[in-house]
Amino acid sequence: QVQLVESGGGLVQAGGSLRLSCAASGSIISINAMGWYRQAPGKLRELVTRITSGGRTNYADSVKGRFTISRDNAKNTVYLQMNSLKPEDTAVYYCNAEIGSYSVPSISWGQGTQVTVSS
């Protein structure tokens, strides 16, 4: 079973920065893609950004130009650099990974880390 552990969340003032990390461990054959989702109170969980093993990325329109995703394939770790943070970025951020398989890929989720941006 694969475990994802996030770190780096916290409280920051508007305009500030945070860097989130997510490390995968366990029975890993390969990781096809990793990404970050977030969920604010009263709202659905939404995709923030995603990166494939080949380095292809995508971003939600709301974070383009402010957030950057990167990964270290050798360490099975993904990072999220968040700059110019806004109060509307406040949410629980969840790490996600698509794990390769001999047959069918599986999806793993982290426990989530709180990001709070004060005005």
Side-chain angles (χ1 to χ4, degrees):
Q1 188 172 3
V2 176
Q3 182 180 22
L4 303 179
V5 179
E6 301 105 331
S7 62
L11 175 64
V12 65
Q13 293 181 326
S17 299
L18 285 173
R19 182 177 174 86
L20 306 183
S21 299
C22 174
S25 62
S27 301
I28 300 173
I29 299 172
S30 63
I31 299 180
N32 298 327
M34 298 185 74
W36 294 92
Y37 291 71
R38 68 185 182 187
Q39 187 167 24
K43 295 187 176 182
L44 298 175
R45 186 175 300 185
E46 65 175 352
L47 174 68
V48 177
T49 179
R50 183 175 183 267
I51 186 169
T52 69
S53 61
R56 183 180 299 175
T57 61
N58 56 43
Y59 295 88
D61 289 340
S62 59
V63 306
K64 287 181 179 178
R66 300 188 297 118
F67 291 10
T68 302
I69 189 171
S70 62
R71 66 182 292 179
D72 185 333
N73 291 336
K75 296 181 178 180
N76 292 324
T77 299
V78 66
Y79 307 93
L80 181 63
Q81 179 67 45
M82 304 185 293
N83 298 326
S84 302
L85 283 163
K86 304 175 181 179
E88 50 263 44
D89 294 319
T90 296
V92 177
Y93 284 70
Y94 296 90
C95 181
N96 167 274
E98 180 182 305
I99 310 300
S101 171
Y102 297 122
S103 56
V104 181
S106 62
I107 305 298
S108 295
W109 290 91
Q111 295 289 337
T113 184
Q114 177 71 46
V115 172
T116 302
V117 184
S118 62
S119 60

